Amino acid sequence: MKIAPCNTFGGEFTVPGDKSITHRAVMFNAAAEGEAHITGALPGEDCLSTAACMRALGATVEFGGTEVRVVGTPTFRDADCDCGNSGTTMRLLTGLLAGRKVHAALTGDPSLSARPMERVARPLRELGAAVGTTDGHAPVTVSPARLRGCTVRTGVASAQVKSAVILAALGAEGETVVEEPILTRDHTERMLAAMGADIRAEGTRVTVRGSALHAADVHVPSDISSAAYFLALGALRGEVLCKNVGVNPTRTGLLRVFDEMGVRYALENERTACGEPVADIRVFKSALRPLRMGAELVPSLVDEIPVIAVLCAFAEGESVIAGAQELKVKESDRIASTAAMLNALGGDCTPTADGFIIRGKKSLAGGRVRSLKDHRIAMSGAVALAASARGGEIEDADCVNISFPGFYSMLEGKGE
Ligand code: S3P
């Protein structure tokens, strides 16, 4: 994919639905009593993997564009579940199945099969779950077991791990308390409460009791992680408005970064839809200051770090991103792949054990981006190229379909 450089970039965008919320709306309704209609869903490959798994387990899931009809089944049949490239599918489903008296095998593509799965299996075993991994990785197996509630510390700031334990706790006897080291995205807690689960969240602690779920319609807001690419281009090249974006406070670390870097922006039309805060976000071209950020902020912007690194390359001075070691176990090792992307385009980025040091020079030359089939590297690379002097190409560019089908056509024609 060729990306041309632009001096100005701007316009109004409605980016696709939130990936985390779409996964949950499909998976939880597939495990509930009744029929639900989801609108604004993301028809990206990861969410289609969740839909296929839930079908294999016996639910009806019909995707028609951004609308989904789900007829749930509180009892699943034994199944092999192909989770494709999707960590959220594999980790949340392992938790959901742990307390549901089924035999299941969960497999994934080579990238997903290289990602750690004991982080989910270990806390689930504390509840009594029969979960096996293959040397810590997929294939993951789940067998029937009697689960008993207890206090579980996730040990890692991961919404996927937290959600897996919460979902298992729905099928456990008694009360389960889940504690995480730093608050992560809370879409699971919000949606399960709306579906009738006995669940209470206080800070980094969630208390859950065994519960049945009732189907609930969901309207999915646009994904702030997808909006981030357009907002970043606005900050670099012009005025951008992203409409109907989910602004759940556990997801808006990007706005704290904008504050720190001097990006001018405004939230407009703030409202709540299906228990999730939503707003339009307007960003104006700004002179960027360097960034210093650490672990506390990471969970609220973990998927945005590659594009934040691009912004740092366009700031004047040295930025330091630390406490982000989780990036090493994403779809690629994003500490290595982000640094390689910036350096290939003429940037100056030193990868560290838990982040980056980026010496911003207010420009990038351009060149060739190796996406390594990681959707967020491809899209961050596209932003970097659009704002670069010469532009360039992206290798394995179609991996953007994992989270953002139509990304390149939305980008096209909006810059001069
Ligand atoms: C997600 C949680 C995050 C994020 C991923 C989606 C979720 O992963 O990176 O894209 O939907 O719960 P971790 O839980 O591994 O941090």
Side-chain angles (χ1 to χ4, degrees):
M1 176 63 63
K2 283 198 165 49
I3 305 286
C6 56
N7 285 319
T8 60
F9 179 92
E12 262 188 45
F13 302 90
T14 302
V15 302
D18 188 281
K19 180 156 83 73
S20 292
I21 297 177
T22 302
H23 277 300
R24 286 159 174 80
V26 170
M27 190 183 291
F28 302 173
N29 274 304
E33 190 91 57
E35 175 171 332
H37 294 263
I38 305 167
T39 51
L42 168 67
E45 286 169 9
D46 270 10
C47 299
L48 298 180
S49 292
T50 289
C53 290
M54 302 323 289
R55 269 186 227 112
L57 289 158
T60 300
V61 183
E62 293 164 0
F63 249 95
T66 60
E67 300 199 359
V68 194
R69 186 177 85 97
V70 184
V71 184
T73 169
T75 49
F76 291 133
R77 59 181 179 224
D78 293 350
D80 288 338
C81 299
D82 180 357
C83 304
N85 188 246
S86 175
T88 306
T89 308
M90 184 169 283
R91 297 201 177 110
L92 269 61
L93 197 52
T94 301
L96 179 67
L97 296 179
R100 299 253 168 181
K101 309 275 184 284
V102 283
H103 290 275
L106 286 71
T107 55
D109 72 5
S111 156
L112 181 55
S113 302
R115 297 176 66 186
M117 292 300 149
E118 273 300 317
R119 55 173 54 200
V120 181
R122 182 195 52 75
L124 292 176
R125 286 188 203 113
E126 290 178 30
L127 292 170
V131 176
T133 65
T134 311
D135 292 331
H137 301 95
V140 173
T141 56
V142 183
S143 308
R146 185 166 164 201
L147 270 47
R148 290 192 181 82
C150 64
T151 296
V152 177
R153 290 186 182 79
T154 62
V156 55
S158 160
Q160 294 177 356
V161 176
K162 170 178 66 174
S163 298
V165 178
I166 291 172
L167 291 167
L170 295 175
E173 292 163 22
E175 186 176 272
T176 302
V177 176
V178 191
E179 289 183 2
E180 54 180 349
I182 304 175
L183 180 64
T184 62
R185 64 191 68 189
D186 64 357
H187 307 301
T188 295
E189 296 88 309
R190 288 173 189 251
M191 198 178 293
L192 290 179
M195 297 176 77
D198 185 347
I199 181 166
R200 203 173 65 245
E202 298 153 305
T204 52
R205 200 181 150 93
V206 184
T207 307
V208 199
R209 292 187 148 271
S211 317
L213 300 179
H214 306 291
D217 291 346
V218 178
H219 180 70
V220 183
S222 290
D223 197 325
I224 191 166
S225 301
S226 298
Y229 305 106
F230 291 88
L231 298 173
L233 263 177
L236 293 171
R237 289 288 175 267
E239 186 177 330
V240 161
L241 178 67
C242 284
K243 300 188 79 169
N244 309 323
V245 182
V247 288
N248 178 317
T250 61
R251 295 286 301 281
T252 48
L254 179 68
L255 302 180
R256 304 289 77 75
V257 164
F258 283 178
D259 292 334
E260 177 90 0
M261 298 188 79
V263 174
R264 293 177 297 131
Y265 69 93
L267 293 193
E268 299 171 0
N269 202 10
E270 288 183 71
R271 58 209 183 271
T272 301
C274 293
E276 290 281 350
V278 180
D280 302 340
I281 308 179
R282 191 183 294 277
V283 164
F284 305 92
K285 183 173 175 178
S286 308
L288 302 183
R289 297 191 292 260
L291 171 70
R292 290 204 168 239
M293 62 156 277
E296 286 298 314
L297 212 51
V298 168
S300 63
L301 46 63
V302 63
D303 295 329
E304 289 75 271
I305 293 178
V307 75
I308 290 170
V310 171
L311 286 178
C312 292
F314 283 93
E316 187 165 20
E318 185 177 280
S319 291
V320 181
I321 298 177
Q325 59 279 3
E326 273 297 299
L327 294 186
K328 291 190 171 181
V329 291
K330 296 295 179 189
E331 287 83 330
S332 66
D333 171 348
R334 287 190 186 149
I335 293 187
S337 53
T338 301
M341 180 256 290
L342 289 178
N343 292 334
L345 304 185
D348 183 349
C349 177
T350 306
T352 65
D354 64 348
F356 317 93
I357 301 167
I358 300 162
R359 283 160 289 270
K361 299 183 280 193
K362 294 173 72 179
S363 66
L364 287 173
R368 199 170 175 86
V369 171
R370 294 185 61 213
S371 73
L372 304 174
K373 301 192 172 133
D374 180 337
H375 54 133
R376 304 219 186 267
I377 298 299
M379 292 187 279
S380 302
V383 170
L385 290 173
S388 71
R390 293 190 273 111
E393 294 99 26
I394 302 172
E395 285 178 16
D396 290 314
D398 57 4
C399 60
V400 302
N401 293 329
I402 289 288
S403 65
F404 199 153
F407 171 76
Y408 299 109
S409 25
M410 206 176 273
L411 198 60
E412 209 174 84
K414 296 296 193 310
E416 277 176 39

